[in-house]
Each structure stands twice: as structure tokens, then as C-alpha cells.
Amino acid sequence: MIIYIEKQAREYKQTKNILEKFKNSQVIYIDNYKNLFDKSYKNIDSKKALIVAKLNSSTITEAPVWYGHTKNAYFFKTSLNCIFDCSYCFLKWAFKNENMVVFVNYDDIKNEIKNKIKIPLSQPFPPGEKGAGYKDDIWFYSSDYSDILWMDNLSNFNAEFIPFFEQFENTKMEIRTKSSNIKSLINLWFVPKNTEIAFSLNPQVLIDKYEKWTSSLDSRIEAINELNSLWFKVWIRFLPLLPVNDYEAIYSDFISYIKERIDFCNIDSTFASGLLYTKNDYNKILSKYPDLDILHMLDLANDWFYRESKKVRNTFYKMFKELDNSCMLC
């Protein structure tokens, strides 16, 4: 394994932790991670590298209003790229190569998040009212640039950021994942009140075809049930729903399967959504993967988004509303 380390990142605690875990790796010191990460490579060996860097730009990006629970929501990044190989993922065309980046200046990232939390975002409680703060939760989504739960073996993210978010009122963090790597969550030795673990689920036949190297459906279900037994807040995300041939039968069998194995009374929330691309993003992924069948099953809607047909969406949404009447729909 090759590890590239920015010279400005070499003295950080997380850098030393990574080097301790991978003692036999080849280490190369570089001036700027973008000199590697912003280049396209034809040599497949270059895709196997890990880059350790300091994040000098902003960690926070505002989330779309339709993305989750509240309009007060943000993405934040501590790493880039994913070990998993999901055919439909925006990361496959968002970045020029498959090198993984871990940013190690956690204190800087935490300070930027803390400053964002301090900005008044909604109507405050009346003076003296219990729980003084802001009525609307502010949400931070941590897993849109990589699978944070899988990446935790490298990044030590959970031990650093879950306790950090516990100090704030009306502030929540979501960790969305296709991994069953929950050991570091259990090793926290406390149950966080401000962090939600959101597992993305799909039928195993579609995981095998479109979500390569992710954890199996059964191992994700096992992780869900174990965290539930320990009183963690667990979400289930049915996304992206894929309009494959015979999708009604595939997803009907899938729903029957998970109903027998998951107690949905213990799930904090569910959410269902199909594929959704802007016209520009759709053209990017289509040019890179012209033979990807699910891309050719989408339609361009009046709002210039590519998605499943309205008939397919309505069929999906009816199925998942019957599974959980409180299921949120995109």
C-alpha cells in the first residue's frame, strides 16, 4: 500500500495513528494533495493510494432543502472518495481518480462546525424557557464524500466527532453507510443522543450487481439489530431504489425479507428515494459509463432532473408506505 502524506499534515495525531496501523506501507511525502487527487490516471496501480492531507478550504456545504429533515442542514467532509464501488454513485464522476483522501486537521474542522452552530438559524425559545437555544434542529451530514463508517478504521472519525456533537443542543449528525463496521460505535461505551446511524438498504441481488464491495444485506441487518439492542438511534434509507426489470417482484420480496428480520418499531425513521441526477451530472456519468443499464431507465423531467418515471416512483412509494406509514419520500 502507498500512503502519500502532505508535509503540512505529517505531525498531526491522526497521521501518526494511520502510520502506526500501516507500518509496512510505502510512505511518500508531497507538497499538496491536489497534485495527485486532481489528476486523471490510466495506470490502475495509482488507484490504490491513500492520501493524508490538511484541509485548508471550508469543510461545510449547505444541503439542498429536500435532502433531509430540516432546511438548517449541511454536508461536511473529513475524507474524500470511497472504497466501495456503487455503479450509480456521484463520486464516480465527481473526482478524477479513485485515490482516497483523509483530512487530519480535526480541530480546524470542529471549529468551523462550532462557528456554524453558533449562527442563529431560527426563532429562539422565549427567555428563561427550559432548553433555551433554537427550536429547529441543525443537521450535519458526514457521509456524502465517503463512507464514514467504513473509513473509520483509517480516520478514527467516530471517536473524534460523535463525542464532539454531544455537547450541543438542537444539533444532530447523520452517519449514512453501506458498511456493517460498527465495532468503533460499540467501543464508544456510551449511546450518543445527537448522532443517527443511517443504513442504506437494497435487495441483495441489486447489491451484488450495483453496490460492489459493500457489506451484504444480512450483515447490515445484523448491524442494525445490534445497534438497536444497545439503544442507538438507527435510521433505514431505502435508496437509491432502482427501476430494474421486474423491480416490483424484487422489491416485494425484499420488503417481506426485511420485515421478518427488523423490528421497525425500533427504527427512528425511514426514507425512500429513487435515482436523481441533474441533467449535467447525468450526462457526465453517461459519458463515463454508457453501458450502465439503469441510466437508460431514467427520464428527463420538466424540472431538468433525470429520475424514474412517475409510475415507477409511485409504485415504489406505495410499497414503502405500506411497510412504514411514516416513511419519508423524496
Side-chain angles (χ1 to χ4, degrees):
M1 180 178 179
I2 300 175
I3 302 178
Y4 293 94
I5 300 178
E6 276 190 342
K7 294 173 183 176
Q8 63 176 340
R10 64 192 303 169
E11 297 303 321
Y12 282 90
K13 178 180 72 172
Q14 299 305 327
T15 304
K16 295 177 182 178
N17 288 342
I18 291 170
L19 291 178
E20 182 65 24
K21 290 180 180 179
F22 300 97
K23 293 180 179 179
N24 296 324
S25 297
Q26 178 184 358
V27 177
I28 301 173
Y29 290 97
I30 58 176
D31 292 322
N32 192 317
Y33 82 94
K34 291 186 176 182
N35 292 338
L36 290 172
F37 192 67
D38 288 351
K39 292 182 179 179
S40 298
Y41 295 106
K42 294 182 179 179
N43 181 355
I44 194 169
D45 289 340
S46 66
K47 298 180 180 181
K48 301 177 182 179
L50 171 67
I51 304 172
V52 178
K54 177 183 177 183
L55 181 63
N56 294 316
S57 58
S58 176
T59 184
I60 294 174
T61 305
E62 189 169 358
V65 293
W66 47 262
Y67 187 83
H69 289 268
T70 174
K71 63 183 180 181
N72 299 330
Y74 300 88
F75 305 119
F76 75 99
K77 56 179 175 283
T78 54
S79 55
L80 301 174
N81 255 335
C82 188
I83 191 65
F84 299 146
D85 186 20
C86 298
S87 302
Y88 49 75
C89 183
F90 83 97
L91 296 178
K92 295 179 76 68
W93 75 89
F95 303 133
K96 292 185 177 180
N97 60 65
E98 296 180 15
N99 291 327
M100 292 183 296
V101 181
V102 176
F103 298 113
V104 292
N105 52 320
Y106 283 175
D107 287 342
D108 297 333
I109 294 171
K110 290 175 182 176
N111 285 333
E112 185 179 351
I113 293 171
K114 188 182 298 185
N115 290 335
K116 178 63 70 174
I117 293 171
K118 290 178 181 178
I119 297 174
L121 295 168
S122 56
Q123 182 65 33
F125 286 103
E129 184 175 319
K130 185 178 180 180
Y134 292 94
K135 291 182 178 179
D136 294 338
D137 288 339
I138 178 172
W139 278 89
F140 290 89
Y141 302 115
S142 64
S143 299
D144 285 74
Y145 302 95
S146 61
D147 193 300
I148 287 296
L149 203 58
W150 179 88
M151 185 70 80
D152 192 70
N153 291 330
L154 295 172
S155 66
N156 203 34
F157 176 93
N158 290 336
E160 286 284 339
F161 282 90
I162 292 178
F164 166 75
F165 276 97
E166 288 297 286
Q167 65 185 298
F168 303 108
E169 295 293 330
N170 303 101
T171 301
K172 307 291 184 183
M173 175 174 67
E174 178 194 284
I175 298 175
R176 189 175 299 186
T177 186
K178 293 184 177 74
S179 173
S180 57
N181 178 32
I182 61 172
K183 182 178 179 181
S184 62
L185 294 173
I186 296 170
N187 288 344
L188 290 171
W189 300 110
F190 73 95
V191 178
K193 69 179 188 298
N194 288 344
T195 296
E196 309 272 0
I197 313 301
F199 289 88
S200 295
L201 300 186
N202 249 322
Q204 185 61 51
V205 64
L206 301 184
I207 291 174
D208 291 339
K209 184 173 182 180
Y210 298 108
E211 298 180 357
K212 294 178 181 178
W213 307 330
T214 65
S215 296
S216 69
L217 175 60
D218 283 343
S219 63
R220 296 185 214 181
I221 291 173
E222 184 179 347
I224 288 168
N225 290 334
E226 185 169 359
L227 290 180
N228 266 332
S229 72
L230 297 172
W231 302 101
F232 277 77
K233 295 179 179 178
V234 179
W235 292 354
I236 294 180
R237 298 291 176 254
F238 301 110
L239 57 86
L241 304 174
L242 301 174
V244 295
N245 294 330
D246 207 21
Y247 71 91
E248 288 186 68
I250 290 173
Y251 278 96
S252 179
D253 290 345
F254 166 66
I255 288 173
S256 297
Y257 188 83
I258 61 175
K259 280 176 67 176
E260 294 178 357
R261 290 161 175 80
I262 299 173
D263 183 355
F264 279 83
C265 294
N266 293 329
I267 300 300
D268 277 56
S269 76
T270 61
F271 181 88
S273 175
L275 285 172
L276 184 68
Y277 299 112
T278 65
K279 185 178 180 180
N280 184 50
D281 287 345
Y282 177 83
N283 289 331
K284 286 181 182 178
I285 191 171
L286 185 63
S287 65
K288 192 170 183 180
Y289 303 101
D291 297 326
L292 181 57
D293 56 353
I294 51 176
L295 295 179
H296 300 282
M297 300 173 183
L298 306 179
D299 297 330
L300 180 61
N302 293 334
D303 58 2
W304 296 101
F305 279 90
Y306 276 90
R307 52 164 68 89
E308 295 95 342
S309 69
K310 188 173 182 179
K311 177 184 176 182
V312 172
R313 296 200 307 274
N314 288 341
T315 301
F316 274 139
Y317 294 160
K318 180 181 178 182
M319 295 170 74
F320 286 96
K321 273 293 187 181
E322 289 175 353
L323 171 67
D324 177 12
N325 189 53
S326 62
C327 183
M328 296 178 290
L329 307 175
C330 178

